[in-house]
Amino acid sequence: MSEKKYPFIPLDWPRLSPEESQARVRAFRELMARRRTVRDYSSAPIPEGVLEDAIACASQAPSGANQQPWTFVVVTDPELKARLREAAEEEERESYANRMSEEWLEALAPLGTDWNKPHFTEAPALIVVFEQLYGWKELPDGTRKKVKHYYVQESVGIAVGFLIAALTQAGLATLTHTPSPMGFLREVLGRPENEKAFAVLPVGYPAEGAKVPDIGKKRLEEILVRR
Ligand code: IYR
């Protein structure tokens, strides 16, 4: 137990009026209610700095012991996107044909997904999110030791939520893609052995005439319980 406690500083958080609270959360609710998972992308570029700001938002997420066990890899190089698409499609072809259960395929059928992943190359950017299963601490003698990370999946999941909200705020569309297995992402992107791919998010503007399935979310009464 050699770790020192952090100094504590005053919280910098202004108190909003009830009206302001209500107005802000309503506006945010309306924005988030319009968000859709998009599979058809325009190749139009993303304005300079937007991805960086969105990833900076994601990095503000709470995490277990503030360990921030995440890495965000931004891929814009067309050749690399094509390699990732090829690798993802190879895995997905196998998954759809042999690895996914009948029940799983049935659950997905109404959404019309298949092994084809054109968004990997059509979207101007892919954000590949990695979880850091453990970290490294440099010791005074120049060696390093493994540091256990806590609540990694929860932390990274929250950060991806922040990321999607930030990109939505910027008027961009995303798709939360979790190819399985995802080992190829670490290999192709040259990430270290303590990192494991968590999700791939194609990001961009929707293609002209993009269509989305006519689905909605559960009503508040179905998901909100008061005790
Ligand atoms: N990872 C596959 C399958 C897939 C699974 C679920 I659950 C989805 O909501 C969507 C797709 C794919 O990307 O096609």
Side-chain angles (χ1 to χ4, degrees), residues 6 19 22-23 33 36 39 55 73 90 99 101 117 120 122 128 131 144 157 176 200:
Y6 297 113
E19 298 73 29
Q22 174 65 76
R36 295 300 310 261
R39 292 194 154 75
I55 291 168
V73 179
E90 202 177 305
R99 290 196 282 240
S101 66
K117 300 299 168 198
F120 266 77
E122 283 166 6
V128 188
E131 36 180 314
R144 54 183 202 161
T176 313
V200 184

Side-chain angles (χ1 to χ4, degrees), residues 10 12 35 39 72 75 91-92 98 122 148 167 186 201:
D12 179 19
R35 185 207 63 81
R39 292 194 154 75
F72 300 87
V75 183
E91 292 294 6
E92 293 293 358
N98 299 315
E122 283 166 6
K148 184 171 165 49
L167 293 165
R186 191 171 73 80
L201 280 86

Side-chain angles (χ1 to χ4, degrees), residues 3-151:
E3 306 301 330
K4 284 229 296 278
K5 202 172 163 183
Y6 297 113
F8 275 60
I9 55 174
L11 173 69
D12 179 19
W13 191 253
R15 168 75 70 102
L16 301 180
S17 69
E19 298 73 29
E20 178 91 19
S21 279
Q22 174 65 76
R24 284 205 204 180
V25 74
R26 179 53 58 93
F28 193 58
R29 172 183 177 171
E30 285 166 5
L31 172 75
M32 295 306 276
R34 293 187 72 160
R35 185 207 63 81
R36 295 300 310 261
T37 286
V38 169
R39 292 194 154 75
D40 306 318
Y41 288 88
S42 152
S43 60
I46 296 166
E48 191 77 24
V50 169
L51 291 184
E52 289 76 4
D53 273 344
I55 291 168
C57 284
S59 77
Q60 305 305 313
S63 60
N66 194 37
Q67 287 172 319
Q68 306 163 63
W70 43 61
T71 306
F72 300 87
V73 179
V74 175
V75 183
T76 51
D77 173 41
E79 237 170 72
L80 193 48
K81 285 193 295 174
R83 270 181 71 194
L84 291 173
R85 174 177 176 176
E86 217 169 282
E89 287 182 336
E90 202 177 305
E91 292 294 6
E92 293 293 358
R93 212 181 275 116
E94 180 59 22
S95 290
Y96 277 89
N98 299 315
R99 290 196 282 240
M100 289 154 77
S101 66
E102 272 309 308
E103 192 178 7
W104 192 351
L105 291 171
E106 256 168 49
L108 284 177
L111 294 169
T113 62
D114 60 25
W115 61 267
N116 241 296
K117 300 299 168 198
H119 37 266
F120 266 77
T121 45
E122 283 166 6
L126 303 173
I127 303 179
V128 188
V129 185
F130 286 87
E131 36 180 314
Q132 296 174 358
L133 304 171
Y134 55 90
W136 291 106
K137 185 183 161 85
E138 307 291 334
L139 298 174
D141 67 2
T143 62
R144 54 183 202 161
K145 77 165 196 205
K146 276 187 189 179
V147 178
K148 184 171 165 49
H149 281 168
Y150 300 95
Y151 295 101

